[in-house]
Amino acid sequence: MAEMTMVEALNLALDQCMDRDADVCLMGEDIGINGGVFRVTKGLYEKYGARRVMDSTLAECGIIGTAVGMAIYGLKPVTEIQFSGFTMQAFDQIEQNMARMRNRTQGRYPIRMVMRTPYGGGIRAVEHHSESREAYWAHTPGLKVVIPSGPRNARALLAASIEDPDPVVFYEPKAVYRAFREDVPETHETMPLGKAQVVRPGSDISIISYGAMMRVCREAVDDLVELNGIDVELIDLLSISPMDTQTLSESVSKTGRCVIVHEGHQTCGVASEIIARLNEHAFEYLCAPIRRVTCPDIPFPYFQTEKQFLPDADTVIGAVQETLAWE
Amino acid sequence: MAEMTMVEALNLALDQCMDRDADVCLMGEDIGINGGVFRVTKGLYEKYGARRVMDSTLAECGIIGTAVGMAIYGLKPVTEIQFSGFTMQAFDQIEQNMARMRNRTQGRYPIRMVMRTPYGGGIRAVEHHSESREAYWAHTPGLKVVIPSGPRNARALLAASIEDPDPVVFYEPKAVYRAFREDVPETHETMPLGKAQVVRPGSDISIISYGAMMRVCREAVDDLVELNGIDVELIDLLSISPMDTQTLSESVSKTGRCVIVHEGHQTCGVASEIIARLNEHAFEYLCAPIRRVTCPDIPFPYFQTEKQFLPDADTVIGAVQETLAWE
Amino acid sequence: MPDELNDNPDPEAPTPAAKGQFPELKHGVKSSNMDTSPIEPGNIEVLQILDEHGQLDKSLDPPLDDELLVKIHRGLVLTRAFDHRMLTMQRQGEMGTFAPNLGQEACQLGQVIPLSRKDWYSPSYRSFGAQIWRGWSMERLLLLWAGYHEGFPPPAGVNDLPFSIVVGSHVLPAVGVAMGMNYKSDASCMVVNFGDGALSQGAVSEALNIAAVDAAPVVFVCENNGWAISTPLNKQAATENLAVRGLGFGMPSIRVDGNDILAMTVAVDEAAQRARVGGGPTFIEAVTYRMSLHTTADDPTVYREEELVDPWEERCPIRRFETYMKYKGLLTGERIQQIHAECEQEVIEARDLFRSTAASHPREIFDHLYEQLPEELEAQRDAYLRRLDERGGSDG
Amino acid sequence: MPDELNDNPDPEAPTPAAKGQFPELKHGVKSSNMDTSPIEPGNIEVLQILDEHGQLDKSLDPPLDDELLVKIHRGLVLTRAFDHRMLTMQRQGEMGTFAPNLGQEACQLGQVIPLSRKDWYSPSYRSFGAQIWRGWSMERLLLLWAGYHEGFPPPAGVNDLPFSIVVGSHVLPAVGVAMGMNYKSDASCMVVNFGDGALSQGAVSEALNIAAVDAAPVVFVCENNGWAISTPLNKQAATENLAVRGLGFGMPSIRVDGNDILAMTVAVDEAAQRARVGGGPTFIEAVTYRMSLHTTADDPTVYREEELVDPWEERCPIRRFETYMKYKGLLTGERIQQIHAECEQEVIEARDLFRSTAASHPREIFDHLYEQLPEELEAQRDAYLRRLDERGGSDG
Ligand SMILES: Cc1ncc(C[n+]2csc(CCOP(=O)(O)OP(=O)(O)O)c2C)c(N)n1
Ligand SMILES: Cc1ncc(C[n+]2csc(CCOP(=O)(O)OP(=O)(O)O)c2C)c(N)n1
Ligand SMILES: [Mg+2]
Ligand SMILES: [Mg+2]
């Protein structure tokens, strides 16, 4: 075990996967000598060389499109898009080839690749650098979408994503990159994709969240439990697609009340999907409308107002109390 | 009044808007002499000339990006993307500029433009030519998303979209293009954006749909009413974003049961959003889980199997009966 | 709030100097930090070996062995026979929309003739002649155009990408495959085909640039057939020729007579050889003409004068090559007629096999998206299969 | 099912001809349907008027009037003073991440000096020198970099696009504005700025092609400063120079010493004049160097040898121009020192105004997305505002 930030843990996962499998290679902007703008690939260029750690041209569509080709050829590229806002530049290649090539060729060309990218707000970034559009990928058949919340699950989920036979979109909460440290085992560790985690079992109400918002939820839960004596069940989704519907519906069937928290926009967002599924699988147990705590349907604002824009613990606490108060 | 197909009705709307406003111009691939691959712009090149009816290069990103610039300059471009599957090529310009320019410049540069594009299946098209990804746009702040279901509302909504001060994504159900004729008034007619239409009032259950699926729903409703004596309320959404939440919740508050039908994929789709809103606004009136009748979360298949893939009247009838049977 | 700011759009901003006030540009002085002599980007070769009358440039006649030449001729004839048949079948409602390649047969075969099985090929939707040469059976191609999923995956043993219908979307993956060859030190190459219209797609420009920067073993064959549906070349590009585009990205570029099977074969072979030994990519503009419809959904009479097509009748790549084969003494007029008949027969047999084997598999549409179907999709599949059963699975 | 098909990956497929078996390419015969003489895409001019020692090429000395020359000098000095100040403020936590333009001052001012107020300018994130010249107040730019929305919209009366942070994303809209000028027969032009890295973006290639095809009045200024964050030019493009890219799209292209304010001004002016009278777009490669950090979040020592920067100290665009101004007798060393001090003072005043006026408006973040806020968003805004009030609106 070693105490690591999420950045260090992700770096460890990349290092070990490259060490274990010569077909795993990295591609992205400034990931070589520079180690990536957030230093997630630090030292890997020195260790594995320019052939396996490829600095790309300034072209996101090019990164994803050529990575799809490498995967067709049999490699396992792990690409980095510098900020998730720039995945828009690659949307066509993601949707038309990365997500669909396996199906188009009836399995002849599986695409074993990962698209890593930092998402979300909270670091006083310039415009277009704080997006949380994971719902686009959840709505895109053929992809898996994974979002870790801390150093340890980030490492295990990235390793699992690299080893997964299907294309994975891996969103990294940049607000968490260096926010705290966690014990991370030195030896190779993975976690199954598609499984949510009950972080704290409880009986009064379920809070479902993922990524950077898990910190906010933990803070809220501490308050709710200690100050208000509310027995909250907190669930970390971890995998947006496929989604662990069973764990979610079991929880809400038990608690009958639920608040969903994420940074992404509200309309057609991940919370909407969770509500739709709970409506199907836990309808008879619902005692109150499920509340969505999300960013509103406006672009992420300029950073002087991001603190107000982003949901915080009080917002979550308020939603929980309203949900509990509902008759 | 004249009997028109949707293609003719759309053509009429374009013609009259161009006639009324010299700043309205058209841009797209093969929309000039060729009149567009579906002939929606037929005759307009001859009538308004190459300056106002612009054949673009084969670059969707280029079409949307330059149209944004024209709008900044003060024009009102109506762009055509030949098939909605190719809007992926323009995703970056749509999200980063078309949807956000007004906000980025605090209103200094409003983007008065429309992106027209045929969507959906049912015409035995090759791969990537039958997509229904309207949820991407509904999840994108700054856009309005409109989807007509017949010749008359297509004409009125397109005219309204062109006159709207905000950027509009206008999805045209290609399966309906020539499927049937309707009376369409010769004189300029618009309909307000953001309003749904109760096509048939009823008290037993609400069916919410839009676009090409409205035909399927109408067929289902006829059966349900005549054969089973079920008093169905049928709602045509027309505008996906903004969404007429009030009309939807009033309907479901009355009927207590609801089935939502669309061609788009299920996860994070429009139906998920409707369910989330009804959960918030009509929770206490719900007598049964709201059912989603959508295409599954797999890519649109090769056309020999599209008939099976697309929801049909029986699918809707089945969902209605299950919803009514639910205790 | 912005009003408080001292923004100052200078009303006195210098209006542009009146024309002529500034000296016309010419080269600056030779300076210590900048070589100011004009840059010469280099010339673009133009290649034709057999002209439209079958006139041979003997100095360029490639030493292809007779067997291969005969096989090439058959390939050209078969491609055209297949094209005709598909058109008929489409008109009879047996095919979906498809894209004829009448007149482009040499252009397409020339792209793949120099390739070995280790090499890769990335076809567009109009490349079926090349696909047949690569080993795709005609009945598989018929399945593809008739909307059966089974027609899309490349046959076992054929290193091809699926054909690309989203214009230009295959070019980046094709470059990626070539980058994989560099990664694995595999001395093979990738030939990727796209049209004059596709060259306007940003993704294609990105692909050209990446291939040049990474010295990827790719041969870009830009099939300039003069049209992108109704859009003529001069509305697609501002340059007379398209080869100069390759030069702009820093790769050797050449303009080839695409109706000259010898020129195409020689040009692609040289580019392929260079690519395999680390020489990087080449851009080949293949000049040909779309003599027929864009697709069966298209009506060229709306936008194209028939007179424009006439001269290209003269330039028929097949007749041209047959003149050469006779001149070489490899084929007689009689034998040529037989070959045409044989190819017609082959196509008929493929059609019959297609008719007897074609079957759609609606129950399988969930089976190929993920290696293992996620639970949530299993539920969707089960619901879908129940529906099929209710409808009577067979239709079904 | 595919197995039933007669797919036939020919094991005998001709392996590529052994090197040399084919003749090396040379031009084919002159033929009846194809001119096979090699294509010469034309040369690219390289312009420098003032070399790094302030050496003047008198034959090219532009007749700018003295007042303008003095104004230009002040613009250069002010830009650098502003750059220094922002860096300090950022280090003190007063600014967000920002992109210094040390060494690129001439390159940036030269782009806009020839523009009138009717002309348009589309800046990148590193173009604040040009923005100041265009009429953006320094305090507005400080607001922008400090993350206040009020800093983003162009000031009233300034025909600029908002600065572009998504690399290359502004170039297509810039071309669209120019297409609007053609639409309205407005004899103005658009100058759009982007970097060597941005040139790799597909959208930028699409923009170059569209502008060329539509003869849009655009001047593309590709600011080649040698780096895209840590990526050097040779990993970004396979060509020695970037001007050839413009040639590949069929527009006049020129390579200019970006540290020579006279050369930049002359080149842009000629291109702008051509554009305004229907001469279409021009591609200008401005050769300069990013002497400082990519942004304040960047640490060049990780990837760049300091020695690489040294020679560019020599090529300082400001010192070079000051030599020229003295030679012209327009400025003395003493006066120059005063100007530096005055500019420093101006910047300090802007900073103070910024400090006294800067205020964020969290209650307004819903107000600019749509002309009229849709109902569903009103509900979201009300919930948001309630939250603000609970938190104590002020912080707020
Ligand atoms: C991205 C995209 N945009 C538009 C289309 C519609 N479309 C199909 S073929 C075609 C023209 C292609 O022209 P070209 O690249 O010259 O190839 P050709 O058809 O002439 O062989 C168009 C516009 C498409 N399939 N994909
Ligand atoms: C589409 C996109 N990709 C990546 C980035 C991150 N990024 C910001 S600046 C930059 C380098 C740009 O280099 P260049 O175009 O040469 O301009 P310069 O910074 O040198 O002025 C990168 C990669 C971005 N902002 N947008
Ligand atoms: Mg073409
Ligand atoms: Mg640069």
Side-chain angles (χ1 to χ4, degrees):
Chain A
M1 288 288 182
E3 285 256 306
M4 292 187 190
T5 63
M6 184 181 282
V7 164
E8 291 159 351
L10 291 165
N11 183 271
L12 177 65
L14 292 173
D15 189 357
Q16 290 179 331
C17 289
M18 291 183 80
D19 187 53
R20 295 159 63 94
D21 185 342
D23 289 340
V24 174
C25 52
L26 312 184
M27 178 163 51
E29 294 158 12
D30 309 292
I31 65 165
I33 304 178
N34 199 42
V37 293
F38 288 103
R39 303 291 185 256
V40 173
T41 58
K42 188 161 181 236
L44 300 177
Y45 176 87
E46 291 73 4
K47 183 167 178 183
Y48 297 101
R51 191 172 57 88
R52 294 185 65 188
V53 182
M54 295 168 263
D55 271 323
S56 71
T57 63
L58 211 178
E60 290 73 19
C61 188
I63 292 168
I64 301 304
T66 54
V68 167
M70 291 181 175
I72 288 171
Y73 187 76
L75 300 175
K76 299 166 188 166
V78 181
T79 60
E80 173 175 303
I81 301 297
Q82 219 161 65
F83 287 84
S84 72
F86 314 143
T87 58
M88 304 301 118
Q89 265 64 10
F91 211 108
D92 48 347
Q93 285 297 325
I94 297 169
E95 195 275 319
Q96 293 158 353
N97 288 323
M98 178 180 168
R100 291 165 76 145
M101 185 58 71
R102 188 184 207 290
N103 188 64
R104 294 178 65 207
T105 58
Q106 296 198 313
R108 167 73 185 277
Y109 295 133
I111 303 302
R112 307 187 66 142
M113 70 177 273
V114 176
M115 176 173 80
R116 291 181 42 241
T117 190
Y119 86 94
I123 65 161
R124 294 167 50 89
V126 286
E127 62 166 1
H128 299 288
H129 285 61
S130 303
E131 278 57 30
S132 302
R133 300 286 173 95
E134 58 276 12
Y136 288 147
W137 314 126
H139 187 62
T140 303
L143 299 174
K144 292 178 178 174
V145 184
V146 176
I147 305 184
S149 59
R152 183 164 186 170
N153 60 35
R155 180 279 190 89
L157 288 168
L158 180 54
S161 299
I162 294 170
E163 292 174 0
D164 195 83
D166 299 310
V168 178
V169 171
F170 193 86
Y171 263 35
E172 301 170 358
K174 67 170 89 76
V176 181
Y177 265 158
R178 294 187 167 75
F180 60 92
R181 298 176 164 276
E182 243 175 27
D183 270 336
V184 178
E186 276 87 3
T187 55
H188 186 68
E189 180 180 58
T190 66
M191 278 171 81
L193 302 188
K195 294 267 161 273
Q197 209 173 41
V198 178
V199 172
R200 181 193 188 283
S203 55
D204 295 342
I205 186 167
S206 308
I207 298 181
I208 302 168
S209 187
Y210 55 88
M213 281 296 125
M214 280 302 293
R215 290 187 75 204
V216 170
C217 291
R218 281 202 159 87
E219 190 187 330
V221 170
D222 291 345
D223 271 25
L224 288 163
V225 174
E226 279 146 39
L227 308 184
N228 314 58
I230 298 166
D231 186 20
V232 181
E233 176 148 305
L234 177 60
I235 296 179
D236 187 346
L237 204 50
L238 295 175
S239 177
I240 309 304
S241 174
M243 190 183 283
D244 187 353
T245 313
Q246 193 183 347
T247 298
L248 304 185
S249 46
E250 279 169 9
S251 172
V252 176
S253 301
K254 179 179 61 179
T255 61
R257 299 173 191 265
C258 178
V259 169
I260 306 163
V261 184
H262 64 58
E263 233 178 293
H265 302 295
Q266 185 167 88
T267 295
C268 292
V270 172
S272 318
E273 179 59 27
I274 294 173
I275 292 173
R277 293 186 186 204
L278 291 174
N279 147 86
E280 283 154 17
H281 297 279
F283 182 80
E284 56 271 56
Y285 303 99
L286 287 177
C287 315
I290 299 166
R291 284 198 180 275
R292 293 182 284 181
V293 174
T294 71
C295 284
D297 292 320
I298 59 172
F300 199 95
Y302 296 77
F303 70 75
Q304 287 291 346
T305 51
E306 75 177 331
K307 221 166 88 284
Q308 295 86 344
F309 181 75
L310 288 166
D312 64 4
D314 292 339
T315 328
V316 177
I317 290 168
V320 166
Q321 284 164 335
E322 286 172 14
T323 306
L324 288 169
W326 204 90
E327 316 279 329
Chain B
M1 288 290 180
E3 286 256 303
M4 292 187 190
T5 63
M6 184 181 281
V7 164
E8 292 159 350
L10 292 165
N11 182 272
L12 178 65
L14 292 173
D15 188 359
Q16 289 180 330
C17 289
M18 292 183 79
D19 187 53
R20 295 159 62 96
D21 185 342
D23 289 339
V24 173
C25 52
L26 312 184
M27 179 161 51
E29 294 158 12
D30 309 292
I31 66 165
I33 304 176
N34 199 42
V37 293
F38 287 103
R39 303 291 184 258
V40 173
T41 58
K42 188 162 181 236
L44 300 177
Y45 177 87
E46 290 74 3
K47 183 168 177 185
Y48 297 101
R51 190 172 58 86
R52 294 185 65 189
V53 182
M54 296 169 261
D55 271 322
S56 71
T57 63
L58 211 177
E60 289 73 19
C61 189
I63 292 168
I64 302 303
T66 53
V68 166
M70 291 180 173
I72 289 171
Y73 188 76
L75 300 175
K76 298 166 188 164
V78 181
T79 60
E80 173 176 303
I81 301 297
Q82 218 160 66
F83 287 84
S84 72
F86 315 142
T87 58
M88 305 300 118
Q89 264 65 9
F91 211 108
D92 48 346
Q93 285 298 324
I94 297 169
E95 196 277 318
Q96 293 158 354
N97 288 324
M98 178 179 169
R100 291 166 75 146
M101 185 58 71
R102 189 183 205 292
N103 188 64
R104 294 178 64 207
T105 59
Q106 295 197 314
R108 167 74 183 276
Y109 295 132
I111 303 302
R112 307 188 64 142
M113 70 177 273
V114 176
M115 176 174 80
R116 290 183 42 241
T117 189
Y119 86 95
I123 66 159
R124 293 168 51 89
V126 286
E127 62 165 2
H128 299 288
H129 285 61
S130 303
E131 277 58 30
S132 302
R133 299 285 174 93
E134 58 275 13
Y136 288 147
W137 314 126
H139 186 63
T140 303
L143 299 175
K144 292 178 178 174
V145 184
V146 176
I147 306 184
S149 59
R152 183 165 187 171
N153 60 35
R155 180 279 188 87
L157 288 168
L158 180 54
S161 300
I162 293 170
E163 292 174 0
D164 195 83
D166 299 310
V168 178
V169 171
F170 193 86
Y171 263 35
E172 301 170 358
K174 66 171 91 74
V176 181
Y177 266 159
R178 294 186 167 75
F180 60 92
R181 299 177 163 275
E182 244 175 26
D183 270 335
V184 177
E186 275 88 5
T187 56
H188 185 68
E189 180 180 59
T190 66
M191 278 171 83
L193 303 187
K195 293 267 161 276
Q197 209 175 41
V198 178
V199 173
R200 181 194 188 282
S203 54
D204 295 341
I205 187 167
S206 308
I207 297 180
I208 301 168
S209 187
Y210 56 89
M213 281 296 126
M214 279 303 293
R215 291 187 75 203
V216 170
C217 291
R218 282 202 159 85
E219 192 189 329
V221 169
D222 292 344
D223 271 27
L224 288 163
V225 173
E226 278 146 40
L227 308 184
N228 316 60
I230 298 166
D231 187 20
V232 180
E233 177 148 303
L234 177 60
I235 296 180
D236 187 346
L237 203 51
L238 294 174
S239 176
I240 308 304
S241 175
M243 190 183 283
D244 187 352
T245 313
Q246 193 182 348
T247 298
L248 303 185
S249 47
E250 280 169 9
S251 172
V252 176
S253 302
K254 178 177 63 178
T255 61
R257 299 175 191 261
C258 179
V259 170
I260 305 163
V261 184
H262 65 57
E263 233 178 294
H265 301 295
Q266 185 165 88
T267 295
C268 292
V270 172
S272 319
E273 179 59 26
I274 295 174
I275 292 173
R277 295 187 185 201
L278 291 174
N279 147 85
E280 284 154 16
H281 296 278
F283 181 79
E284 57 270 57
Y285 303 99
L286 287 177
C287 315
I290 299 166
R291 284 196 180 273
R292 294 183 282 181
V293 174
T294 71
C295 284
D297 292 319
I298 60 173
F300 199 96
Y302 296 78
F303 69 75
Q304 286 292 346
T305 51
E306 75 176 333
K307 224 167 86 284
Q308 295 87 344
F309 181 74
L310 289 167
D312 64 4
D314 293 339
T315 328
V316 177
I317 292 168
V320 166
Q321 284 165 336
E322 287 172 10
T323 306
L324 288 169
W326 203 90
E327 316 281 328
Chain C
M1 147 70 140
D3 326 340
E4 306 167 16
L5 305 180
N6 301 335
D7 299 308
N8 166 29
D10 182 354
E12 301 308 302
T15 50
K19 189 112 194 88
Q21 179 186 335
F22 280 176
E24 287 300 304
L25 293 187
K26 59 187 179 67
H27 316 137
V29 292
K30 242 213 163 5
S31 104
S32 47
N33 72 304
M34 201 165 173
D35 173 357
T36 53
S37 49
I39 297 161
E40 285 140 20
N43 295 339
I44 294 165
E45 269 188 36
V46 180
L47 181 72
Q48 182 183 57
I49 297 175
L50 270 181
D51 77 10
E52 67 184 296
H53 308 302
Q55 273 282 353
L56 174 70
D57 176 352
K58 296 205 179 53
S59 69
L60 292 172
D61 188 16
L64 299 173
D65 57 64
D66 299 352
E67 212 177 310
L68 177 56
L69 287 168
V70 172
K71 183 173 178 223
I72 290 171
H73 172 259
R74 190 188 189 83
L76 292 170
V77 175
L78 188 64
T79 301
R80 184 165 295 186
F82 187 68
D83 189 57
H84 283 308
R85 180 59 48 189
M86 285 223 282
L87 195 53
T88 318
M89 292 172 76
Q90 195 281 337
R91 294 314 189 200
Q92 292 164 348
E94 233 179 325
M95 285 287 127
T97 306
F98 101 100
N101 73 7
L102 182 71
Q104 301 179 221
E105 299 87 353
C107 184
Q108 304 208 339
L109 257 62
Q111 294 170 39
V112 290
I113 288 167
L115 300 188
S116 78
R117 290 187 59 186
K118 284 183 74 271
D119 296 317
W120 286 63
Y121 179 60
S122 181
S124 84
Y125 46 85
R126 208 182 291 282
S127 315
F128 49 84
Q131 287 177 288
I132 294 170
W133 183 277
R134 289 282 291 173
W136 294 62
S137 63
M138 287 185 282
E139 51 276 20
R140 179 183 292 269
L141 295 170
L142 290 169
L143 285 169
L144 183 163
W145 286 107
Y148 295 91
H149 198 164
E150 292 68 22
F152 278 75
V158 176
N159 283 343
D160 288 4
L161 265 54
F163 94 157
S164 163
I165 193 80
V166 180
V167 169
S169 63
H170 58 303
V171 185
L172 278 166
V175 169
V177 168
M179 289 164 74
M181 293 170 186
N182 281 350
Y183 189 95
K184 295 273 194 185
S185 312
D186 165 358
S188 307
C189 72
M190 160 65 83
V191 172
V192 56
N193 165 274
F194 54 89
D196 46 293
L199 195 55
S200 297
Q201 285 282 336
V204 174
S205 290
E206 291 188 2
L208 292 168
N209 191 50
I210 292 166
V213 169
D214 294 356
V218 192
V219 181
F220 295 98
V221 178
C222 179
E223 208 164 327
N224 176 0
N225 64 1
W227 296 89
I229 304 187
S230 72
T231 310
L233 190 62
N234 65 353
K235 281 190 181 175
Q236 200 68 249
T239 52
E240 290 286 310
N241 71 88
L242 297 176
V244 65
R245 190 71 55 85
L247 212 62
F249 287 97
M251 68 184 79
S253 304
I254 179 172
R255 190 166 204 245
V256 180
D257 181 347
N259 285 15
D260 172 356
I261 186 69
L262 296 179
M264 280 300 298
T265 305
V266 167
V268 172
D269 182 72
E270 172 164 307
Q273 290 188 45
R274 183 166 49 232
R276 294 191 196 97
V277 297
T282 301
F283 187 94
I284 295 176
E285 175 191 9
V287 182
T288 181
Y289 201 78
R290 198 198 79 214
M291 296 180 66
S292 179
L293 316 160
H294 165 66
T295 67
T296 48
D298 175 52
D299 173 11
T301 63
V302 175
Y303 55 80
R304 181 169 81 172
E305 308 288 322
E306 266 318 299
E307 298 83 87
L308 286 171
V309 184
D310 301 340
W312 291 89
E313 300 285 355
E314 287 302 292
R315 299 169 191 155
C316 171
I318 299 181
R319 193 175 335 97
R320 191 186 303 195
F321 189 56
E322 287 174 344
T323 309
Y324 171 82
M325 291 299 277
K326 289 186 207 153
Y327 158 85
K328 283 258 167 179
L330 292 170
L331 291 176
T332 64
E334 201 182 338
R335 178 63 192 130
I336 287 172
Q337 289 196 337
Q338 283 172 358
I339 292 169
H340 282 259
E342 289 163 19
C343 289
E344 182 57 28
Q345 192 47 39
E346 234 187 281
V347 171
I348 296 288
E349 282 158 16
R351 181 202 61 189
D352 296 343
L353 180 56
F354 159 76
R355 286 178 174 170
S356 60
T357 55
S360 76
H361 301 80
R363 310 189 74 84
E364 296 175 10
I365 62 176
F366 283 74
D367 298 356
H368 304 294
L369 188 57
Y370 295 96
E371 178 158 303
Q372 204 189 355
L373 198 66
E375 269 173 30
E376 61 193 36
L377 268 175
E378 267 176 32
Q380 292 186 16
R381 184 191 55 190
D382 297 345
Y384 166 82
L385 291 178
R386 269 196 307 280
R387 259 177 56 212
L388 285 194
D389 296 335
E390 287 156 15
R391 297 181 178 184
S394 59
D395 94 300
Chain D
M1 147 73 141
D3 328 338
E4 303 167 17
L5 306 178
N6 302 333
D7 299 308
N8 167 30
D10 183 354
E12 301 308 302
T15 48
K19 187 112 191 95
Q21 179 185 336
F22 280 176
E24 287 302 303
L25 293 186
K26 57 189 181 66
H27 318 136
V29 293
K30 246 222 160 354
S31 103
S32 47
N33 70 303
M34 203 165 171
D35 173 357
T36 53
S37 47
I39 297 162
E40 286 140 18
N43 295 341
I44 295 165
E45 270 187 35
V46 180
L47 181 72
Q48 182 182 57
I49 297 175
L50 270 180
D51 77 8
E52 66 182 296
H53 308 302
Q55 274 282 351
L56 175 70
D57 176 351
K58 297 205 177 54
S59 68
L60 292 171
D61 187 17
L64 299 173
D65 58 65
D66 299 352
E67 213 177 309
L68 177 57
L69 287 167
V70 172
K71 184 173 177 222
I72 289 172
H73 172 259
R74 190 188 190 83
L76 292 170
V77 175
L78 189 64
T79 301
R80 184 165 293 187
F82 187 68
D83 188 57
H84 283 310
R85 180 57 49 190
M86 285 224 283
L87 195 54
T88 319
M89 292 172 76
Q90 195 281 337
R91 293 315 190 202
Q92 293 164 349
E94 230 179 328
M95 284 288 128
T97 305
F98 102 100
N101 73 7
L102 182 71
Q104 303 180 219
E105 299 87 354
C107 184
Q108 304 209 339
L109 256 62
Q111 294 170 38
V112 288
I113 289 167
L115 299 188
S116 79
R117 290 189 59 188
K118 284 184 75 271
D119 296 317
W120 287 63
Y121 179 59
S122 181
S124 83
Y125 46 85
R126 207 183 290 284
S127 315
F128 49 83
Q131 287 177 289
I132 295 170
W133 183 277
R134 289 283 291 172
W136 294 63
S137 62
M138 287 184 283
E139 52 274 20
R140 180 183 291 270
L141 295 170
L142 290 168
L143 284 170
L144 183 162
W145 286 107
Y148 294 92
H149 198 163
E150 291 67 23
F152 277 76
V158 175
N159 282 344
D160 288 2
L161 265 53
F163 94 157
S164 164
I165 192 83
V166 180
V167 168
S169 63
H170 58 304
V171 185
L172 278 166
V175 169
V177 168
M179 289 163 74
M181 294 171 184
N182 281 349
Y183 189 94
K184 294 275 195 185
S185 313
D186 166 357
S188 306
C189 71
M190 159 66 82
V191 172
V192 56
N193 166 274
F194 54 89
D196 46 294
L199 195 55
S200 297
Q201 285 283 335
V204 175
S205 290
E206 291 189 3
L208 292 168
N209 191 50
I210 293 165
V213 169
D214 293 355
V218 192
V219 181
F220 295 98
V221 179
C222 180
E223 208 165 324
N224 176 1
N225 64 0
W227 296 89
I229 306 188
S230 72
T231 310
L233 190 62
N234 66 354
K235 281 191 183 176
Q236 199 68 249
T239 52
E240 289 287 308
N241 71 89
L242 296 177
V244 66
R245 190 71 55 88
L247 211 62
F249 288 96
M251 69 184 78
S253 304
I254 178 171
R255 190 165 204 245
V256 180
D257 181 346
N259 285 15
D260 171 357
I261 186 69
L262 296 179
M264 279 301 297
T265 306
V266 167
V268 172
D269 183 73
E270 171 163 310
Q273 289 188 46
R274 185 167 47 233
R276 294 190 195 98
V277 297
T282 300
F283 187 94
I284 295 176
E285 176 191 9
V287 182
T288 181
Y289 201 78
R290 198 199 79 213
M291 295 180 68
S292 178
L293 316 160
H294 165 65
T295 68
T296 49
D298 176 50
D299 174 10
T301 63
V302 175
Y303 55 80
R304 181 169 80 172
E305 309 287 321
E306 268 316 301
E307 298 84 87
L308 285 171
V309 184
D310 300 341
W312 290 89
E313 300 284 356
E314 287 301 292
R315 297 168 192 155
C316 170
I318 299 180
R319 191 172 337 97
R320 193 187 302 195
F321 189 56
E322 287 173 346
T323 310
Y324 172 81
M325 292 298 278
K326 288 185 207 152
Y327 157 86
K328 284 256 168 182
L330 293 170
L331 292 175
T332 64
E334 201 180 340
R335 178 64 193 129
I336 287 172
Q337 288 196 337
Q338 283 171 358
I339 292 169
H340 282 260
E342 288 163 19
C343 289
E344 182 56 29
Q345 193 45 40
E346 233 187 283
V347 172
I348 296 287
E349 283 158 16
R351 182 203 59 190
D352 296 343
L353 181 57
F354 159 76
R355 286 178 173 169
S356 62
T357 55
S360 77
H361 300 80
R363 309 188 74 83
E364 296 174 9
I365 63 176
F366 283 74
D367 297 357
H368 303 293
L369 188 56
Y370 295 96
E371 178 157 305
Q372 204 189 355
L373 198 65
E375 272 172 30
E376 59 193 39
L377 268 175
E378 267 176 32
Q380 293 186 17
R381 185 191 55 190
D382 298 345
Y384 166 83
L385 292 179
R386 269 197 308 280
R387 262 176 54 211
L388 285 193
D389 296 335
E390 286 157 16
R391 296 180 179 186
S394 60
D395 92 302

